Amino acid sequence: MLVLVLNAGSSSLKYQLINATTADVVATGLVERIGIDGILKHEVSKNKKLTFEIDMPTHKEAIELVLKTLTDSETKVINSIDAIDAIGHRVVHGGEFFNSSTIVDECVIKKIEKLIPLAPLHNPANILGMKICHQLMPETPNVAVFDTAFHQTMPEENFLYAVPHEDYTEHHLRKYGFHGTSHYYVSQEAIRLLGKKKSSKIIVCHLGNGSSICAVKDGKSISTSMGLTPLEGLVMGTRSGDIDAGVIPYLMEKKNMDGHQIIDYLNKKSGILGLSGISSDLREIIKASEEGDQRASVTIELICNRIKKYLCAYAGLLGGVDAVCFTAGIGENSDLIREKVCNGLDFMGIELDKNKNKIRAGENTEINKSTSKTKIYVIPTNEEFVIAQDTYKLVKGN
């Protein structure tokens, strides 16, 4: 079964064509600068990469170009768009409406629209992708897969904020969590690596430009670091992560900011970029630290301390930990960050093997010492495959 996986951003569109039964990726690509001067980067295999520059005023033209590229005589991987059995859409925010993926209909779209205030940058683009696909391929089923759904198993004591309760009941103020498809995929892989242990306690560290940690008990999320929005939790590329709420009115007064400006400041000018004054790319920060830049060194230590703090807290919530998993761009590729996070956690039974940690296998890898009570894994995430699988199961079920 061929599933087209779409991840529509405000000015971008990521896609993969996946055989959901074999997990083979048929084609993958990225459309950037929609509404400006569009660029499509299309990849069929490592040896066949193509780039197109074409005017794309809206997402409609972008999706049309993707479909054309998949079927065009020079670039085709399928004979016609009829070969696409279903379309799976990544949706950032499902609120409390959705605790699992769902086939898209008008009712589903209306519910996602109600959640736009909770994800104003993402949900409108996600909705647009669904509507355009329905216009272009009216007979092809669409499935919405939510970043927040996996975390709907969190108990109240872990998702509520300590504010008047009516702000939860009336304004939906609570922790939702994100990166759900990644946390689900990686924790399921860890359970498999643990021999499908019936009772499992796993901590997933999804570390990239956006980062979050999740405590997973018996395959279910019980707590996660991101909150009402993806701003809470760890230090990220340009996001501050956890701060004292009193910082907001203080800065608004001192810097003469309004609400939109302070949110922009915390989301786009803070984090690794703001701390280091160099870049939001951790690779550049590590390089600067090696060259003696003090702010870069402090930035690295602060990032790792925050990860370690959550890791220890979640071990407490779980009552122990069977496996710690590192995933996403930084988690999969930075041996330095993994080493610093695990350093000093021997008392918790977390013992990193420094030689194993330096290996970049590109596949599931165990990097703990043989004496370690806790397994430490590097597990490459595969969010697109989760979307394809969920789409396949729902469509096949119909």
Side-chain angles (χ1 to χ4, degrees):
M1 179 178 182
L2 284 180
V3 175
L4 178 61
V5 174
L6 293 181
N7 179 358
S10 56
S11 62
S12 65
L13 179 74
K14 293 179 183 177
Y15 65 91
Q16 281 195 11
L17 186 63
I18 299 175
N19 186 323
T21 49
T22 65
D24 292 332
V25 177
V26 179
T28 183
L30 169 66
V31 184
E32 297 177 292
R33 299 172 65 82
I34 298 170
I36 307 171
D37 50 358
I39 299 172
L40 182 146
K41 297 174 182 176
H42 178 76
E43 184 176 326
V44 177
S45 66
K46 289 182 179 179
N47 299 320
K48 193 172 183 182
K49 299 179 183 180
L50 304 165
T51 300
F52 303 95
E53 293 188 24
I54 187 168
D55 187 37
M56 281 179 276
T58 71
H59 282 72
K60 184 173 185 289
E61 288 80 11
I63 293 173
E64 284 175 338
L65 178 60
V66 169
L67 295 174
K68 183 183 177 186
T69 305
L70 293 172
T71 57
D72 198 60
S73 58
E74 291 184 11
T75 57
K76 77 173 181 179
V77 290
I78 51 175
N79 290 324
S80 77
I81 60 173
D82 293 335
I84 299 171
D85 297 295
I87 305 165
H89 299 264
R90 178 201 179 209
V91 181
V92 166
H93 219 305
E96 291 185 319
F97 289 130
F98 303 101
N99 59 13
S100 62
S101 303
T102 184
I103 290 178
V104 177
D105 57 23
E106 245 182 83
C107 180
V108 167
I109 287 178
K110 284 179 180 176
K111 286 180 179 177
I112 299 171
E113 285 174 337
K114 287 181 181 178
L115 296 165
I116 286 174
L118 294 176
L121 296 177
H122 298 93
N123 273 27
N126 302 154
I127 294 164
L128 196 56
M130 295 176 211
K131 288 182 174 179
I132 292 166
C133 285
H134 182 68
Q135 289 172 13
L136 298 175
M137 304 167 68
E139 301 303 316
T140 306
N142 289 261
V143 170
V145 182
F146 302 91
D147 275 10
T148 50
F150 180 59
H151 303 299
Q152 284 297 299
T153 52
M154 289 191 292
E156 273 193 311
E157 61 269 24
N158 290 348
F159 72 66
L160 286 175
Y161 290 117
V163 296
H165 193 66
E166 60 266 24
D167 289 326
Y168 164 58
T169 56
E170 294 175 21
H171 304 299
H172 316 292
L173 188 64
R174 55 158 285 180
K175 181 188 283 282
Y176 289 98
F178 300 89
H179 294 141
T181 49
S182 177
H183 288 302
Y184 168 77
Y185 177 82
V186 173
S187 58
Q188 287 298 308
E189 284 292 286
I191 289 169
R192 184 179 64 78
L193 292 170
L194 290 168
K196 297 185 179 179
K197 189 177 178 183
K198 287 184 180 179
S199 177
S200 59
K201 300 170 182 177
I202 294 163
I203 299 174
V204 179
C205 304
H206 177 107
L207 309 177
N209 188 53
S211 298
S212 65
I213 294 188
C214 185
V216 184
K217 189 171 186 177
D218 301 334
K220 295 180 179 180
S221 170
I222 66 162
S223 192
T224 191
S225 57
M226 283 182 169
L228 176 77
T229 74
L231 182 57
E232 186 181 354
L234 302 177
V235 176
M236 301 173 235
T238 60
R239 289 175 239 171
S240 66
D242 294 339
I243 58 167
D244 177 352
V247 166
I248 294 174
Y250 178 82
L251 275 180
M252 289 175 75
E253 182 181 340
K254 291 292 182 183
K255 298 174 78 76
N256 194 27
M257 291 179 170
D258 61 23
H260 292 293
Q261 289 171 320
I262 192 70
I263 290 300
D264 185 71
Y265 172 91
L266 294 172
N267 269 295
K268 298 180 181 178
K269 298 175 183 176
S270 301
I272 294 171
L273 174 63
L275 275 168
S276 68
I278 299 169
S279 169
S280 62
D281 190 327
L282 188 62
R283 290 169 295 188
E284 293 185 36
I285 310 307
I286 292 171
K287 184 173 182 290
S289 175
E290 290 169 347
E291 292 170 354
D293 188 295
Q294 181 62 18
R295 278 179 66 183
S297 297
V298 170
T299 299
I300 292 166
E301 294 301 325
L302 194 153
I303 291 165
C304 294
N305 284 351
R306 184 72 61 83
I307 298 167
K308 187 178 292 189
K309 178 176 142 183
Y310 268 97
L311 200 157
C312 291
Y314 284 169
L317 278 182
L318 289 165
V321 55
D322 296 312
V324 173
C325 308
F326 292 94
T327 193
I330 294 169
E332 293 170 31
N333 296 303
S334 180
D335 58 301
L336 175 68
I337 298 301
R338 294 193 299 262
E339 181 179 338
K340 283 184 173 292
V341 169
C342 294
N343 186 41
L345 297 183
D346 303 46
F347 73 97
M348 291 173 56
I350 295 173
E351 299 179 59
L352 184 78
D353 186 310
K354 290 184 180 180
N355 290 325
K356 289 180 182 178
N357 184 43
K358 291 190 182 299
I359 296 170
R360 290 194 181 185
E363 58 188 24
N364 295 348
T365 307
E366 185 179 317
I367 58 171
N368 52 273
K369 291 181 180 178
S370 58
T371 55
S372 181
K373 293 180 181 177
T374 299
K375 298 291 186 184
I376 309 171
Y377 297 125
V378 177
I379 300 178
T381 192
N382 196 339
E383 296 172 86
E384 290 79 12
F385 181 57
V386 172
I387 295 171
Q389 272 197 321
D390 276 16
T391 301
Y392 170 70
K393 288 172 187 174
L394 282 166
V395 171
K396 188 183 177 186
N398 272 11

